[in-house]
Amino acid sequence: MKLSVGPNQFFWKADRWAGFYDDMAAAPVDRVVLGELVCSKRLPFYQDRIPGAIETLAAAGKKVGVTSLALITLKRERKLSAELIEAGVEVEVNDLSMLAYLPKGAPFSVGPLVNIYNEGTLAFLAGRGATSICLPPELPLEPVRVLAKAGRDLGVEIEVWGHGRVPLAISGRCYHARLHRRTKDNCQFACEDDPDGLEVSTMEQQHFLAMNGVQTLSDSFACVDHQIEMLRDAGVASLRLSPGTGDFAALCGMYRDRLDGRTAKGAIAGALEDATPGIRLSDGFLTGAAGVDWSGARAD
Amino acid sequence: MVMEIVCPAGTPASLRAAVKAGAHTVYCGFADETNARNFPGLNFERDEMREGVAFAHDHGSKVLVAINTFPRAGGEEMWHRAIADAESAGADAVILADLGLLAHAAQHHPNLRRHLSVQAAAANADVINFYADAFGVRRVVLPRVLSVPEIAAINAETEVETEVFVFGGLCVMAEGRCSLSSYATGKSPNMNGVCSPASHVDYHEDHGDLSAKLGGYTIHKVGAGQPAPYPTLCKGCFQAGEATGHLFEDPVSLNAEALIPQLAKAGVTALKIEGRQRSRSYVAQVVRNFRAAVDAQAAGLPMPEGMLASLTEGQATTAGAYKKTWR
């Protein structure tokens, strides 16, 4: 199985951003998708570093992709999206508006924020030029199996959300701005102090969600350590690791070791729990009753 | 031109009530997971759909059938059958969200009018025109993330009719792109046609406080004697940083009646009322009021004022994203 690094979902300062992709050039991953997924207002802060990052990653032998925004509404966002193809690398579609901009027949990949729940949709996108598809994180294992088979028949590689806070919703409203009693147009970049998102808990102090500007994520970090064998059996070609702070290259290494059989089931979760006692992991979308569930908890 | 009022009908009785109250158009769904209001006791069996369409047509109203969840891998047949049955029941259009289902409908039911559901979250003119080119979509229900000027700009760039929500429940998140409910409960709008389902709601009293929980998570907590709102996830009271409150949205519902003139000017074809889960008397009252409003609008008369106050009594309302400061 391959490893992909998804686009960073958070607002990172330019130096942190560029340093991350220098690290990824040396990390044991096959593909890196970069660019702005969540909020077009963030892009000017690091846009000029993107060509350099693409070059560094490509020189290190990584397949590189550039993501679309998750929600394209404004005129300048439409223009930006129409110009994405000029980056010279494969575009990852995370808003179906991209289908209006991509030249007919140009190959593209599809990210986890596009609704691909069934074979009919997969076949339609394959017909339009999709070469690889990262499935929506909420899909359970059984549909993943069906879609991985359909993908194989159509020559489309199927990827599954492997690790990281799960994107759960996108909105027209910016919650970071709302938290600071500002409007989105006058947000003053309230999200920049939360490089992994801002934790949202209930009135009874239950850890629950994380806010990231217009995006809402899970509080827990998805981790498919316990499902790797099932996913491989299902025909899944690749796992997606979603960027976070900390030693992300080391995290990539843990997944690589696990995929290559150098470590056993539970090794990744165990290492994460040792490094960060109390870390909250989840894999419930794949095999649990609810997304937040964690199979490791039941095994204890 | 009179703006078209598109009304919800969760039951055949509601459909008849809406039609009699003056609804130009009624939308409804089959009683299964093919529609996004898959609640117990709601929606239409096949024979009820045929009778409902006949009743509406006899009274000069149209019926739209919502088949707007995302078909299950390995189970698409149920959704394909729903489209075929909607067509044979005489439906005036189907409301679809899934790409594969749109492709199927365009290929196998070319004469059945296709509307794009709000669940597809088509939020700009380029993607709307893509749906028109690829699948012959004739109308789009716009997601509730757009301001009135943005809606006007979309209408200037597309031939596809636009329909917007004006009353009822309000999604804060882009519709069809939200997994909050399945994260907490395992049941999702996209896969199961439910959000924050009653099956996972629990009210819990502790030291005089009442907690409304969803999937074990406390969504609202109120003092003794206070009404606890239904624990819809995105309208809950949470904590982040130093703040406590309704971080995503207040427990409000949408009421854009005051914006009808602006929406008309923006080129909107149809006004949609949310609430297939509502009673027929509620539906009839909302329909009568909105019908009076659009008739007044078309005749150049002033809007009747505060007409829906009794229906939203005790509950705050908002004009949502239609006003840009909402964001």
Side-chain angles (χ1 to χ4, degrees):
Chain A
M1 270 169 113
K2 296 181 192 169
L3 283 178
S4 289
V5 176
N8 169 41
Q9 305 187 88
F10 308 103
F11 186 21
W12 289 357
K13 298 217 163 52
D15 287 342
R16 179 197 285 263
W17 188 94
F20 178 84
Y21 290 106
D22 287 342
D23 290 349
M24 288 306 99
V29 298
D30 303 283
R31 188 166 77 110
V32 179
V33 183
L34 45 70
E36 184 55 47
L37 177 70
V38 172
C39 179
S40 61
K41 290 181 70 176
R42 298 169 175 175
L43 194 54
F45 290 88
Y46 66 89
Q47 194 163 17
D48 59 344
R49 310 291 280 270
I50 292 176
I54 291 175
E55 202 174 314
T56 305
L57 290 163
K62 310 301 181 196
K63 187 172 183 200
V64 186
V66 61
T67 183
S68 79
L69 288 166
L71 180 62
I72 299 167
T73 56
L74 307 175
K75 200 147 202 165
R76 71 177 160 76
E77 293 170 346
R78 291 159 64 193
K79 185 167 178 290
L80 190 81
S81 305
E83 291 167 358
L84 264 189
I85 191 87
E86 293 167 16
V89 295
E90 191 171 75
V91 172
E92 174 165 295
V93 174
N94 272 301
D95 179 318
L96 286 172
S97 304
M98 285 308 300
L99 295 185
Y101 306 129
L102 290 167
K104 271 228 162 69
F108 61 88
S109 61
V110 184
L113 301 185
V114 171
N115 285 331
I116 300 171
Y117 287 92
N118 53 66
E119 307 92 303
T121 295
L122 200 157
F124 175 81
L125 289 168
R128 297 283 297 204
T131 58
S132 69
I133 288 175
C134 181
L135 295 175
E138 78 165 354
L139 270 181
L141 184 62
E142 196 44 46
V144 167
R145 195 189 304 278
V146 174
L147 292 172
K149 182 180 182 311
R152 208 162 47 238
D153 296 344
L154 292 162
V156 177
E157 285 194 353
I158 297 297
E159 181 170 295
V160 162
W161 190 268
H163 188 95
R165 281 192 155 150
V166 187
L168 297 177
I170 190 93
S171 176
R173 171 179 268 180
C174 176
Y175 304 116
H176 258 99
R178 178 173 161 88
L179 191 72
H180 293 267
R181 301 182 183 284
R182 300 171 193 154
T183 62
K184 184 178 169 190
D185 287 348
N186 182 35
C187 69
Q188 299 169 43
F189 303 97
C191 59
E192 73 177 343
D193 296 329
D194 298 305
D196 289 300
L198 175 64
E199 196 182 305
V200 175
S201 56
T202 70
M203 295 287 284
E204 294 179 333
Q205 285 75 49
Q206 300 159 289
H207 303 289
F208 191 16
L209 303 169
M211 69 166 68
N212 172 39
V214 294
Q215 187 187 42
T216 306
L217 302 116
S218 62
D219 164 77
S220 65
F221 288 76
C223 171
V224 296
D225 188 359
H226 296 277
Q227 287 84 14
I228 282 174
E229 284 71 19
M230 300 176 212
L231 292 169
R232 182 181 283 137
D233 288 348
V236 170
S238 175
L239 294 182
R240 168 162 301 213
L241 312 180
S242 187
T245 61
D247 193 345
F248 198 76
L251 183 85
C252 297
M254 282 190 240
Y255 273 92
R256 189 72 266 163
D257 286 346
R258 179 78 176 80
L259 289 179
D260 293 349
R262 284 188 291 275
T263 55
K265 186 187 279 194
I268 300 171
L272 292 170
E273 282 159 353
D274 288 346
T276 312
I279 190 173
R280 297 174 293 278
L281 303 173
S282 65
D283 55 14
F285 278 132
L286 276 174
T287 52
V292 64
D293 291 349
W294 171 235
S295 53
R298 289 196 292 274
D300 286 344
Chain B
M1 265 247 308
V2 179
M3 293 173 96
E4 180 181 330
I5 301 294
V6 182
C7 309
T11 61
S14 284
L15 180 146
R16 291 191 294 273
V19 166
K20 285 184 195 159
H24 302 110
T25 301
V26 174
Y27 67 100
C28 45
F30 290 119
D32 56 35
E33 60 199 286
T34 62
N35 87 90
R37 286 286 185 280
N38 180 25
F39 301 158
L42 273 197
N43 299 313
F44 288 62
E45 300 302 334
R46 263 47 181 186
D47 56 335
E48 293 172 330
M49 189 65 82
R50 281 192 297 276
E51 290 157 14
V53 171
F55 180 87
H57 286 176
D58 284 348
H59 291 76
S61 301
K62 291 179 178 162
V63 176
L64 315 179
V65 179
I67 306 171
N68 57 349
T69 50
F70 294 84
R72 192 173 53 248
E76 289 171 284
E77 171 55 27
M78 183 194 287
W79 281 260
H80 294 171
R81 205 168 54 239
I83 293 177
D85 291 348
E87 183 168 47
S88 64
D92 296 279
V94 284
I95 309 171
L96 310 175
D98 181 65
L99 280 179
L101 204 53
L102 281 157
H104 173 88
Q107 189 185 345
H108 298 280
H109 306 274
N111 299 321
L112 179 60
R113 188 177 155 103
R114 290 172 290 287
H115 291 187
L116 190 66
S117 169
V118 71
Q119 299 298 118
N124 64 66
D126 299 324
V127 73
I128 292 167
N129 288 330
F130 158 76
Y131 280 107
D133 294 344
F135 311 116
V137 163
R138 305 281 295 281
R139 179 183 294 184
V140 55
V141 185
L142 293 177
R144 284 166 271 193
V145 299
L146 299 166
S147 66
V148 174
E150 286 165 358
I151 291 169
I154 284 173
N155 280 319
E157 289 186 66
T158 184
E159 296 297 311
V160 178
E161 297 171 356
T162 55
E163 178 174 312
V164 303
F165 280 94
V166 287
F167 197 77
L170 172 79
C171 274
V172 208
M173 309 301 179
E175 292 94 337
R177 307 187 67 182
C178 180
S179 310
L180 288 172
S181 179
S182 57
Y183 181 68
T185 73
K187 298 287 178 194
S188 90
N190 286 2
M191 293 193 293
N192 312 100
V194 297
C195 173
S196 306
S199 53
H200 289 68
V201 170
D202 181 36
Y203 290 92
H204 187 76
E205 219 177 304
D206 186 30
H207 297 95
D209 288 336
L210 182 64
S211 302
K213 291 182 185 245
L214 180 75
Y217 287 101
T218 301
I219 306 299
H220 296 289
K221 190 172 185 173
V222 297
Q226 284 181 279
Y230 186 86
T232 302
L233 211 159
C234 57
K235 310 221 174 64
C237 189
F238 301 111
Q239 301 176 336
E242 304 292 302
T244 299
H246 296 99
L247 303 183
F248 302 106
E249 179 60 294
D250 302 316
V252 292
S253 64
L254 176 70
N255 184 2
E257 58 171 315
L259 295 176
I260 288 174
Q262 283 109 295
L263 292 168
K265 210 171 157 200
V268 169
T269 299
L271 303 177
K272 183 163 200 155
I273 295 160
E274 184 275 343
R276 278 186 274 155
Q277 69 283 20
R278 299 288 193 164
S279 72
R280 65 184 171 190
S281 62
Y282 169 97
V283 168
Q285 193 177 345
V286 177
V287 170
R288 265 194 299 275
N289 288 321
F290 271 96
R291 180 63 193 266
V294 296
D295 286 345
Q297 155 70 26
L301 299 170
M303 288 288 100
E305 258 178 58
M307 55 189 182
L308 294 161
S310 67
L311 287 172
T312 54
E313 199 171 21
Q315 215 202 347
T317 61
T318 175
Y322 297 137
K323 292 203 193 289
K324 208 175 171 192
T325 49
W326 177 86
R327 292 171 180 164

